[in-house]
Amino acid sequence: GARVQRRAGQILARSAQPEEALARLTEAGDWPGVAQLIMATAPALVAQGRITTLETALRAVPARVAEGWPWLDYWLGVCRLPFDTVESRERFGRAF
């Protein structure tokens, strides 16, 4: 169940497999774990051009959870910047 998925996500995160780790943590509904992993991996994912992976993870986080993590809005703004400057600016505004 969720406990196994959470544990698998933690192991994958330590093994430098962020996509799989994010998927497992999302399946487990471990939103604090997802948010923490996003915060830890977002700069590298963006630098590697893997913004789709990052955006998918960010959009999976429920709004009620994301409200407590302004950096999630920031990173979603970064992801949207090349495609939708209006949404990007809104996300940056929320983050600050």
Side-chain angles (χ1 to χ4, degrees):
R3 192 170 62 114
V4 172
Q5 292 294 342
R6 183 178 299 112
R7 184 71 182 129
Q10 293 166 346
I11 292 168
L12 288 164
R14 284 194 301 273
S15 300
Q17 297 179 44
E19 291 94 344
E20 286 299 317
L22 287 166
R24 294 301 141 274
L25 294 171
T26 298
E27 287 177 29
D30 181 0
W31 303 118
V34 170
Q36 290 171 347
L37 185 55
I38 287 171
M39 298 303 300
T41 60
L45 290 172
V46 170
Q48 295 166 2
R50 295 159 54 193
I51 60 172
T52 302
T53 297
L54 180 57
E55 184 173 353
T56 299
L58 286 161
R59 292 203 184 272
V61 177
R64 64 177 169 68
V65 175
E67 288 174 7
W69 297 79
W71 279 100
L72 299 182
D73 271 318
Y74 170 81
W75 287 112
L76 191 50
V78 169
C79 290
R80 297 307 303 154
L81 189 58
F83 309 105
D84 186 342
T85 56
V86 173
E87 182 183 1
S88 179
R89 190 175 350 194
E90 288 171 5
R91 295 294 178 165
F92 288 139
R94 281 190 224 171
F96 295 108

